[in-house]
Amino acid sequence: MVDLVLRSRRAVTARGERPAAVAVDSGKIVAVGAYDEAMPAADEIDLGDTALLPGLVDTHVHVNEPGRTEWEGFATATRAAAAGGVTTIIDMPLNSLPPTINTEALTIKQNAADGQIHVDVGFWGGAVPGNAGELPGLHAAGVFGFKAFLADSGVPEFPPVSPAELATALTAVDAQFVVHAEDPDHLHAAASSPAYADFLASRPADAEHAAVATAIEAARRAGGRVHILHLSAAGALPLIAAARAEGVRVTAETCPHYLTLDAARIPDGATEFKCCPPIRDAANAGQLWRALADGLITCVVSDHSPCTPELKRRDTGDFAAAWGGIASVQLGLPVIWTAARNRGHGLADVVDWMGRRPADLVGLHGKGRIAVGADADLVAFDPDEEFVVDPHRLHHRNPVTPYAGMVLRGVVRTTWLRGRTVTGDAPHGGFLTRED
């Protein structure tokens, strides 16, 4: 007898979407059988036509605790993640104080998170000027790799690296490097303005193209692994394709806001839409969708990067002064499902982009899939129900999101973490470390 059996006529397994029964015991999936297969269990739930998905994996989340917990914290970020069907997050090394650039800072962050997390949490380390000697120790401590900026990060304690410093970091440790790819020489100071077009002009696509080329060259010379974060400019895709064809270990991700939002429709003063790199036009988004379908873009992650409402400067609507970041960890699944469905994609595609592929990127092969031996991280998801986004009903700390008022399709009914229901009351998430 197993602990739990979940049945669904729309289970998304390694064989695609199909009727199935999933047996869970001691936090693991121990069998995946036919929908009506007899499986003695202590508890059984028949979801009927409600879909059963694997828990999603978001490898790009800024939690900000400790130090800027008024922006976001582990309790609120992980509660929001679970409510959005995300059962694993990898926390970015910056915006917290101290940033995760040495083992002492990693311990401080883990201590801050301990006892608060509603989903499983891993950590990225940071590569900044002068800390190449710290990277092997951080890697040995279990971080999933290292984030580097090629342009100003927005916070002084996490400065950007030069191309030479990125190359040095890549040779210091055999690890996954994830790169914010904007070239500072192609960026322009944004003038104080409520016009989104003025902000967009200050961060042209050429800045991404140049920085992607820099990251690829560093990976080529070092033989290292480079992942391009939050790709916005589709014009950089041929560079990535050519590099991969010659054997350079480079991958790329994008985010829901780059796939679904249109620069031409962003109202003046709507600073909740500000992020870096910026949201571009609908034609650009169409190219990103094609690259995602073709596998050139590896995965879709949130880049959840919230702040306080005051820092978004809705009082003035000044894009130059506002903090750049989109709060969306709870909404990524319905945002992408709504758009993907309209483009002819199925739930299996969405799960692949937001579950299996990001899990594989960081080596968590027991996450992001319904398969025997995987963690029993599961989501009951109604793919047909619509809802209107109300920021005050979201679980992240501050009620700011560019999706406010939008009608989305797809509602998370229940989330299970290693076979236990995530209620949002009693945290039972765990820390994850890199699996060699």
Side-chain angles (χ1 to χ4, degrees):
M1 180 174 291
V2 298
D3 295 333
L4 173 66
V5 169
L6 295 169
R7 302 181 189 276
S8 169
R9 294 188 183 92
R10 300 188 66 179
V12 180
T13 73
R15 291 169 49 193
E17 183 180 329
R18 64 187 178 98
V22 178
V24 175
D25 200 65
S26 300
K28 297 284 187 179
I29 296 173
V30 295
V32 180
Y35 173 74
D36 56 358
E37 182 176 335
M39 292 182 175
D43 189 19
E44 181 172 321
I45 301 172
D46 191 333
L47 299 172
D49 290 328
T50 298
L52 181 65
L53 315 181
L56 304 184
V57 178
D58 193 338
T59 55
H60 196 150
V61 177
H62 294 268
V63 177
N64 307 336
E65 185 177 7
R68 293 188 174 94
T69 312
E70 70 276 13
W71 295 16
E72 185 67 285
F74 281 101
T76 49
T78 58
R79 190 180 291 114
V86 176
T87 52
T88 298
I89 67 168
I90 312 296
D91 172 65
M92 282 294 170
L94 72 156
N95 299 346
S96 56
L97 295 169
T100 316
I101 56 175
N102 52 48
T103 54
E104 293 81 8
L106 175 63
T107 299
I108 290 169
K109 181 169 281 193
Q110 289 172 328
N111 288 341
D114 193 26
Q116 294 198 75
I117 53 177
H118 297 271
V119 300
D120 285 350
V121 176
F123 302 92
W124 293 107
V128 297
N131 86 323
E134 302 282 355
L135 304 186
L138 263 174
H139 203 234
V143 300
F144 285 84
F146 299 95
K147 181 174 188 176
F149 275 76
L150 294 177
D152 179 35
S153 72
V155 291
E157 68 276 0
F158 202 96
V161 295
S162 67
E165 288 165 334
L166 177 61
T168 297
L170 279 163
T171 57
V173 60
D174 180 16
Q176 177 74 67
F177 280 77
V178 296
V179 180
H180 181 119
E182 288 183 288
D183 188 303
D185 292 337
H186 290 75
L187 301 177
H188 316 296
S192 178
S193 171
Y196 181 76
D198 291 338
F199 166 66
L200 180 59
S202 74
R203 304 187 88 95
D206 286 351
E208 287 191 75
H209 302 166
V212 167
T214 295
I216 288 171
E217 181 59 22
R220 179 185 290 115
R221 289 179 176 237
R225 288 174 284 161
V226 167
H227 179 71
I228 305 301
L229 296 172
H230 46 47
L231 184 71
S232 160
L237 289 166
L239 298 173
I240 297 168
R244 292 181 65 170
E246 68 173 89
V248 178
R249 293 191 291 172
V250 58
T251 52
E253 69 188 31
T254 194
C255 304
H257 38 282
Y258 300 130
L259 291 166
T260 64
L261 301 178
D262 180 358
R265 296 178 177 272
I266 297 176
D268 287 353
T271 52
E272 62 270 26
F273 288 86
K274 179 180 177 179
C275 56
C276 300
I279 295 160
R280 304 191 190 276
D281 61 31
N284 180 83
Q287 293 178 64
L288 295 178
W289 275 105
R290 286 190 289 277
L292 181 62
D294 293 342
L296 181 56
I297 292 177
T298 305
C299 51
V300 180
V301 294
S302 69
D303 189 13
H304 179 73
S305 185
C307 66
T308 61
E310 293 76 18
L311 288 174
K312 273 299 186 183
R313 298 309 305 267
R314 285 306 306 271
D315 55 337
T316 64
D318 183 358
F319 275 96
W323 174 259
I326 302 289
S328 62
V329 70
Q330 187 173 338
L331 293 172
L333 174 56
V335 167
I336 289 298
W337 170 237
T338 300
R341 177 174 173 153
N342 291 338
R343 289 175 174 268
H345 296 288
L347 279 174
D349 295 321
V350 174
V351 165
D352 199 41
W353 302 330
M354 305 183 77
R356 183 188 64 82
R357 289 195 202 172
D360 288 351
L361 174 73
V362 294
L364 290 173
H365 302 298
K367 298 287 190 183
R369 67 206 74 207
I370 294 178
V372 173
D375 287 348
D377 301 341
L378 299 162
V379 177
F381 180 69
D382 185 337
D384 298 317
E385 182 170 340
E386 292 185 341
F387 70 101
V388 177
V389 177
D390 178 354
H392 294 278
R393 299 187 68 181
L394 301 176
H395 291 283
H396 64 257
R397 187 174 297 278
N398 294 294
V400 179
T401 176
Y403 300 107
M406 291 187 183
V407 178
L408 299 178
R409 189 181 293 270
V411 173
V412 171
R413 297 295 186 200
T414 308
T415 299
W416 293 268
L417 179 67
R418 284 175 272 109
R420 293 177 58 189
T421 305
V422 181
T423 64
D425 297 321
H428 62 273
F431 291 142
L432 301 173
T433 56
R434 190 190 71 262
E435 300 173 358
D436 291 325

